[in-house]
Amino acid sequence: MTGTELQAFLAAFNALPLGAFTGVADGRKYAVVRRNLAAGKAQKLAARELGGSGYISLNLYRLAAGPRLKPCEMPEEKVVRFVLALKLTG
């Protein structure tokens, strides 16, 4: 991921609320949970498609050397695309 892509991802990720919410990405509705761990040095996002089989899961580590994105058993591109597309619905 380039620096510009990382900055766009971080801006979109940071705009998401903590806790549980619903949203739409690529025309599909998701139940999403975003949590802070380790006093905000690590963050987790998990999303389940409502009425479907879609699932997104990622960890974001806020390290002194810079942020590190670690998707959970899926390509980085998939989680980045999801976060960039996600629009809150409730």
Side-chain angles (χ1 to χ4, degrees), residues 32-67:
V32 184
V33 177
R34 180 177 166 226
R35 298 184 300 151
N36 275 343
L37 307 165
K41 293 179 183 174
Q43 297 172 309
K44 177 157 188 74
L45 182 135
R48 289 202 179 277
E49 183 183 358
L50 299 173
S53 61
Y55 182 72
I56 300 290
S57 181
L58 66 92
N59 292 300
L60 178 63
Y61 300 97
R62 309 282 184 155
L63 305 173

Side-chain angles (χ1 to χ4, degrees), residues 3-17 34 60 62 67 83-84:
T4 302
E5 291 167 332
L6 177 61
Q7 293 307 313
F9 169 81
L10 290 173
F13 185 86
N14 292 339
L16 298 174
R34 180 177 166 226
L60 178 63
R62 309 282 184 155
V83 170
L84 291 175

